[in-house]
Amino acid sequence: MIKVGIAGADSEVAGELLRLCLNHPDVDVVTAYAPGYAGRPVGSVHHGFIGEERILFTSNFDATALDVAFLIRGLYSESDWVKLMADRPQLKLILFPDSLTPGMTEAFAPVYGLSEMNRKPLVRGARVAVVPRVLASPLLVALYPLARHLMLRGNVEVEVSAPADVTTEEMCQSAAMEVGRELQRVQTSFNGEVIIRIGTTPPSSRSLKLSLCLPCSSNLEEVVKVYDSIYDDHNFTYVVTHPVTPAEVEGSNKVVIAVSKPDADTLRLEVVADPRMRGGAAEALHIMNLLFGLHEKTGLNLKVCAWSNPGSAEGEKK
């Protein structure tokens, strides 16, 4: 069994991660670190855990007892982690964006954990990986094949419809910078700006939708072939040529990309994903599967059935 510890276990994404871990056949949750709730069952914060009181929040995080640490929030210093990693060669770190510091980047050079782009590094000995940001993950999945084929030109302007807690102006700007950086690593000739704007369409209560149009003279069949050439052996990315709704992805790690050609020189992309899973809990568990040589869908085959309410000590569902 893979011994798991979660730092920041009282956060919303941790509630999703704990739920996924409980249903993973190869995972044993050893530590749910949340000092403010130490000694209380996880169900006191996260909805859906009644009957799972065996998992208690703790104020102690003993990394020497773990195989993998999920750092949703920062814990210890960079030098402490360097020593821990040296003393425990099997220990792996999965960092969420809020736990990543310049010191951690310098100490470990973590692999960017988008499997659609970096699956080989993740399965070939990586020990430290960083989870992509919520908005960056599905947008990069949508744009990566085009960058691989040198098809990006000019600015990339994106409209996002999603729950308010994942679409603040700051989150949009951070994701735009992340996407631009990763695209330039793939297509060095890309010098456009990535611009993410919050749309006016009322969002789903859970999922997000990204809409964008790009200059493209290739016909629809050629575009689909571009995507299939990259994603034919990936398990969570699907390309379709018909409209999609957020209901297709809620509670899952999927990204569904609907491609269309409104005219001969324009490519339209509609992208749907669940931001509490993609760029969140399910993507983190997906990274863990790859780091430990498991099939990437292990523990991620079915939708989760509930989600937690951040900041609620009573575990009420929104």
Side-chain angles (χ1 to χ4, degrees):
M1 299 291 282
I2 299 170
K3 299 185 184 305
V4 165
I6 302 171
D10 55 328
S11 63
E12 180 179 2
V13 70
E16 299 282 15
L17 183 57
L18 282 163
R19 191 172 295 109
L20 291 170
C21 285
L22 283 177
N23 289 291
H24 194 293
D26 300 306
V27 163
D28 178 20
V29 178
V30 174
T31 300
Y33 179 77
Y37 297 96
R40 296 173 60 177
V42 297
S44 65
V45 173
H46 300 304
H47 177 81
F49 283 89
I50 293 175
E52 300 296 340
E53 284 80 1
R54 64 184 179 84
I55 303 179
L56 304 177
F57 291 119
T58 178
S59 59
N60 178 49
F61 193 89
D62 182 7
T64 64
L66 305 176
D67 297 310
V68 59
F70 292 93
L71 301 189
I72 297 170
R73 298 185 184 130
L75 182 70
Y76 304 149
S77 67
E78 291 83 2
S79 58
D80 289 334
W81 282 113
V82 169
K83 186 177 186 305
L84 281 165
M85 297 290 280
D87 292 343
R88 191 171 175 81
Q90 72 270 40
L91 178 64
K92 302 181 191 299
L93 297 181
I94 298 176
L95 310 173
F96 283 76
D98 288 345
S99 71
L100 187 63
T101 65
M104 290 290 275
T105 300
E106 183 178 347
F108 297 113
V111 175
Y112 187 67
L114 190 69
S115 71
E116 284 83 359
M117 294 176 65
N118 292 322
R119 186 164 61 183
K120 287 183 179 179
L122 290 169
V123 301
R124 294 180 178 176
R127 293 186 64 195
V128 184
V130 60
V131 180
R133 293 182 188 276
V134 168
L135 299 177
S137 179
L139 182 54
L140 276 169
V141 170
L143 295 174
Y144 174 60
L146 304 177
R148 277 279 302 271
H149 285 76
L150 309 180
M151 294 172 67
L152 295 179
R153 304 193 304 274
N155 292 342
V156 175
E157 300 189 27
V158 185
E159 180 177 294
V160 57
S161 174
D165 61 320
V166 298
T167 52
T168 65
E169 291 291 346
E170 182 181 359
M171 294 178 77
C172 290
Q173 292 175 10
S174 297
M177 292 177 61
E178 186 172 308
V179 171
R181 180 194 69 217
E182 296 300 322
L183 289 177
Q184 287 177 343
R185 289 178 178 175
V186 179
Q187 181 181 329
T188 57
S189 63
F190 174 66
N191 58 5
E193 184 179 358
V194 177
I195 303 166
I196 302 177
R197 297 189 178 93
I198 300 171
T200 58
T201 304
S204 158
S205 62
R206 170 144 188 158
S207 298
L208 69 81
K209 185 174 185 178
L210 304 169
S211 303
L212 59 158
C213 290
L214 302 166
C216 177
S217 58
S218 301
N219 63 40
L220 188 58
E221 182 179 0
E222 292 169 337
V223 170
V224 171
K225 286 181 179 178
V226 165
Y227 280 91
D228 286 345
S229 70
I230 304 293
Y231 293 146
D232 63 339
D233 64 342
H234 285 263
N235 287 282
F236 296 110
T237 299
Y238 301 92
V239 178
V240 299
T241 56
H242 56 78
V244 292
T245 68
E248 299 289 346
V249 295
E250 288 181 355
S252 78
N253 195 41
K254 295 178 183 177
V255 174
V256 179
I257 308 161
V259 297
S260 61
K261 293 279 294 183
D263 59 61
D265 296 316
T266 304
L267 172 65
R268 182 168 180 80
L269 304 178
E270 299 279 349
V271 187
V272 291
D274 183 331
R276 293 173 177 82
M277 295 286 104
R278 259 299 169 148
E283 190 140 39
L285 200 70
H286 183 191
I287 292 168
M288 186 206 75
N289 284 343
L290 295 174
L291 293 180
F292 284 89
L294 303 175
H295 189 281
E296 60 184 341
K297 292 190 75 173
T298 304
L300 294 170
N301 283 300
L302 299 176
K303 293 183 178 183
V304 294
C305 60
W307 56 284
S308 57
N309 183 359
S312 169
E314 293 75 36
E316 296 177 352
K317 186 176 179 182
K318 268 188 174 180

